């Protein structure tokens, strides 16, 4: 593969992983290659990163794909092993943890300890250890590569106590010096684990094809991460993204003043200004209009099918609570309950979701029933919606073939000043199976909202 072909394929892989790379930026990267030393791999990485990466959150995915398309050399000090047996009839006889001697493992762990303390050569050592312990036969002429077997053989996490004893020799334990040493050793341990994973991916790509491994090696950027697939680790990062969006959403939903209404007359200022014209009020002054913070009602599907989306809903409600005069949140499965009491500022979202599942009265028979939930909401909490209220419904509109209660929804949306529905499913799945997306969408405008990008687009549409 020529350098040009590799460049085009690399840019295509970045786009496939969700990184926004335009045609002009791809050309900028190609021009940058003309002014750097292509033999310097890190210079090549820096040139691509400077021209193609826009946000810090995109950098991990970029680095993963760069290591696949522009791998480092595999030759190194530890690349061969003199005691490796020759290949047998069923494929290579792979040395593993069982064939490694105690003395050899001790020597390799000693070298790893030096690297964790800051010695040079970690990447070369990691590649050699993958060659030594990461390969396992998978049939005639085939082999698999694993990070786990390398880390199991060397156990870098078990070196912490030994390294701390060396670094803190004669110093008091538990102080700042130990904290700094732990942080440095921990960071180097993660660097070694990442280097092992990188080389394993490279070897798998050589066997299976770069394109194939590239499609599964990189998670989408945070702003394109599907709400239905978020993890606990993603929630903390999502919280930072949701708060500014909540402020923008509150601004879009603010009750607008009537056209032509300039505010109430400021009588005192008008009279004072008229003194210069003999008491004739040639110029009138109005009092500044006070910004109105509307009320918000959030109606959230909390069933298992959209559990991850419900986590995101909690994040959004937490953020919106600071922007509105009043926020009331209601969760439902086949009946509805007010869950505002779980929105304690600063509470952990996962813990709040656990409490909600355990304590809230949202389930009678365990099957999602939008119709019954809407009727119970109108019956028990109908007074929550008024002319100053914005109604926000979040759910997939799948009601298990139960009556949809369309008239009830029409009445509720008619009483609210604004009403919107955010659906976490792709539009292509609307109206399939038990979905009532079109029927509900004819009453309350429904928007596909699967990630941060689509949430931001919905907010901009409200303008």
């Amino acid at each position: 593969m020529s350098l040009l072909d590799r460049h085009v394929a690399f840019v295509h892989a970045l786009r496939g992983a969700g990184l926004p790379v335009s045609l002009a930026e791809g050309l900028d990267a190609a021009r940058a290659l003309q002014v750097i030393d292509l033999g310097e791999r890190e210079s090549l990485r820096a040139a691509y990163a400077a021209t193609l990466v826009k946000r810090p959150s995109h950098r991990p995915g970029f680095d993963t794909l760069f290591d696949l398309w522009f791998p480092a050399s595999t030759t190194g000090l530890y690349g061969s092993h003199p005691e490796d047996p020759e290949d047998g009839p069923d494929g290579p006889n792979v040395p593993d943890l069982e064939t490694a001697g105690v003395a050899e493992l001790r020597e390799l762990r000693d070298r790893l300890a030096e690297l964790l303390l800051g010695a040079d050569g970690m990447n070369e050592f990691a590649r050699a250890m993958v060659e030594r312990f990461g390969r396992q036969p998978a049939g005639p002429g085939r082999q698999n590569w694993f990070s786990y077997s390398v880390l199991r053989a060397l156990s870098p996490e078990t070196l912490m106590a030994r390294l701390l004893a060396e670094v803190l020799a004669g110093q008091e334990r538990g102080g700042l010096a130990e904290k700094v040493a732990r942080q440095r050793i921990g960071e180097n341990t993660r660097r070694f684990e990442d280097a092992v994973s990188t080389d394993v991916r490279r070897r798998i790509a050589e066997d299976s094809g770069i394109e194939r491994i590239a499609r599964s090696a990189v998670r989408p950027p945070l702003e394109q991460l599907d709400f239905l697939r978020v993890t606990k680790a993603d929630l903390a990062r999502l919280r930072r993204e949701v708060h500014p969006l909540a402020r923008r959403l509150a601004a879009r939903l603010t009750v607008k003043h009537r056209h032509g209404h300039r505010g109430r007359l400021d009588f005192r200022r008008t009279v004072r200004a008229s003194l210069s014209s003999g008491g004739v009020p040639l110029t009138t002054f109005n009092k500044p209009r006070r910004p109105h913070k509307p009320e918000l009602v959030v109606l959230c599907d909390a069933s298992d099918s959209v559990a991850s989306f419900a986590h995101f809903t909690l994040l959004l409600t937490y953020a919106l609570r600071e922007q509105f005069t009043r926020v009331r949140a209601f969760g439902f499965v086949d009946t509805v309950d007010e869950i505002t009491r779980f929105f304690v500022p600063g509470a952990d979202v996962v813990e709040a979701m656990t409490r909600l599942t355990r304590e809230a009265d949202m389930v009678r028979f365990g099957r999602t029933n939008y119709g019954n939930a809407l009727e119970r909401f109108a019956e028990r909490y109908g007074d929550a919606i008024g002319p100053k209220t914005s109604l926000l419904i979040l759910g997939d509109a799948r009601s298990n073939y139960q009556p949809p209660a369309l008239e009830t929804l029409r009445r509720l949306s008619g009483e609210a000043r604004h009403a919107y529905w955010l659906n976490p499913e792709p539009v292509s799945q609307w109206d399939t199976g038990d979905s009532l997306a079109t029927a509900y969408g004819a009453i309350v405008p429904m928007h596909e909202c699967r990630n941060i990008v689509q949430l931001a687009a919905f907010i901009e549409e409200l303008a």
Side-chain angles (χ1 to χ4, degrees):
M1 181 183 293
S2 67
L3 178 60
L4 178 59
D5 292 337
R6 191 170 292 270
H7 164 82
V8 172
F10 175 54
V11 171
H12 180 74
L14 291 174
R15 294 189 185 117
L19 275 67
V21 179
S22 67
L23 178 61
E25 289 164 343
L27 293 174
D28 289 341
R31 293 189 187 97
L33 302 185
Q34 300 175 0
V35 297
I36 65 170
D37 183 0
L38 295 178
E40 293 289 338
R41 183 167 176 266
E42 290 308 311
S43 296
L44 180 64
R45 184 195 300 269
Y48 270 120
T51 52
L52 302 180
V53 180
K54 299 181 180 65
R55 303 183 62 182
S57 59
H58 296 166
R59 186 59 190 260
F62 165 84
D63 285 331
T64 297
L65 292 174
F66 180 87
D67 290 332
L68 285 173
W69 289 98
F70 302 95
S73 172
T74 58
T75 59
L77 179 62
Y78 305 92
S80 61
H81 192 275
E83 298 178 4
D84 286 353
E86 297 180 355
D87 291 354
D90 294 331
N93 293 324
V94 182
D96 55 16
L97 182 58
E98 284 71 22
T99 63
V102 175
E104 179 193 0
L105 284 176
R106 185 183 297 115
E107 178 184 349
L108 293 175
R109 281 171 56 83
D110 289 343
R111 175 54 182 162
L112 178 58
E114 296 175 3
L115 295 170
L116 296 182
L117 289 177
D120 295 332
M122 179 174 292
N123 291 335
E124 293 80 0
F125 182 79
R127 289 194 293 268
M129 293 303 97
V130 173
E131 179 70 25
R132 180 70 177 89
F133 299 109
R135 180 173 44 173
Q136 295 184 13
R142 297 178 57 196
Q143 54 191 355
N144 291 330
W145 299 93
F146 297 95
S147 301
Y148 169 75
S149 56
V150 179
L151 301 178
R152 182 169 65 97
L154 299 177
S155 301
E157 71 281 356
T158 63
L159 294 172
M160 177 66 77
R162 166 186 164 182
L163 296 177
L164 287 176
E166 294 179 9
V167 173
L168 303 175
Q171 300 185 50
E172 181 181 358
R173 300 296 295 268
L176 179 60
E178 179 177 349
K179 182 178 180 180
V180 172
R182 281 185 180 275
Q183 182 176 358
R184 184 181 64 173
I185 296 170
E187 290 176 354
N188 288 336
T189 301
R190 288 189 290 274
R191 280 183 54 212
F192 175 72
E193 293 172 350
D194 291 342
V196 170
S197 299
T198 297
D199 195 60
V200 167
R201 280 195 298 267
R202 179 190 64 79
R203 293 174 186 271
I204 295 175
E206 290 178 352
D207 294 340
S208 304
I210 300 178
E211 293 85 357
R212 181 178 178 182
I213 190 65
R215 286 193 294 268
S216 59
V218 180
R219 294 190 74 198
L222 182 64
E223 65 271 16
Q224 297 184 16
L225 191 63
D226 196 321
F227 291 140
L228 295 178
R229 292 175 175 81
V230 296
T231 64
K232 182 178 180 180
D234 297 323
L235 290 176
R237 297 190 297 155
L238 276 175
R239 181 176 298 182
R240 292 191 292 270
E241 298 286 340
V242 164
H243 274 276
L245 290 175
R247 289 193 293 270
R248 289 161 57 190
L249 178 59
R252 298 293 188 269
L253 294 177
T254 297
V255 177
K256 298 178 176 60
H257 291 270
R258 294 189 302 272
H259 293 294
H261 177 57
R262 295 178 295 176
R264 297 175 60 186
L265 176 68
D266 190 334
F267 184 77
R268 179 176 297 179
R269 289 186 62 194
T270 302
V271 170
R272 187 182 298 117
S274 70
L275 296 177
S276 62
S277 57
V280 179
L282 299 178
T283 304
T284 59
F285 293 88
N286 297 313
K287 294 181 179 180
R289 294 175 297 180
R290 296 180 180 179
H292 178 76
K293 295 178 71 177
E295 300 175 0
L296 177 68
V297 170
V298 179
L299 191 57
C300 169
D301 183 351
S303 60
D304 291 340
S305 62
V306 289
S308 297
F309 183 60
H311 287 186
F312 162 75
T313 301
L314 289 177
L315 283 178
L316 183 62
T317 306
Y318 279 147
L320 289 173
R321 190 176 187 181
E322 301 175 1
Q323 310 300 325
F324 288 82
T325 302
R326 187 181 186 188
V327 173
R328 296 184 69 180
F330 301 86
F332 67 90
V333 177
D334 56 4
T335 189
V336 66
D337 188 20
E338 184 166 3
I339 57 176
T340 312
R341 62 186 182 275
F342 300 104
F343 293 89
V344 179
D348 181 79
V349 176
V350 177
E351 293 180 2
M353 193 64 185
T354 302
R355 284 191 57 208
L356 184 152
T357 304
R358 185 175 59 249
E359 301 175 20
D361 183 20
M362 301 181 297
V363 183
R364 285 288 188 269
F365 305 103
R367 295 172 62 86
T368 309
N369 189 332
Y370 275 74
N372 187 66
L374 290 171
E375 290 175 351
R376 297 289 78 74
F377 175 81
E379 177 184 326
R380 298 169 58 185
Y381 307 107
D383 58 349
I385 297 180
K388 296 182 179 180
T389 304
S390 294
L391 174 62
L392 188 61
I393 304 176
L394 304 106
D396 59 3
R398 293 187 176 274
S399 192
N400 285 297
Y401 303 102
Q402 301 299 317
L406 297 178
E407 290 303 320
T408 301
L409 179 62
R410 184 175 287 107
R411 185 173 71 254
L412 292 173
S413 63
E415 294 174 353
R417 185 172 185 87
H418 306 288
Y420 303 98
W421 191 311
L422 302 183
N423 191 327
E425 287 193 338
V427 174
S428 60
Q429 296 181 16
W430 293 7
D431 295 328
T432 62
D434 59 343
S435 173
L436 296 169
T438 298
Y440 285 133
I443 301 172
V444 176
M446 186 173 293
H447 303 263
E448 179 183 334
C449 185
R450 300 172 58 202
N451 50 47
I452 290 290
V453 171
Q454 291 183 339
L455 176 61
F458 160 70
I459 293 173
E460 292 305 319
E461 287 180 12
L462 295 183

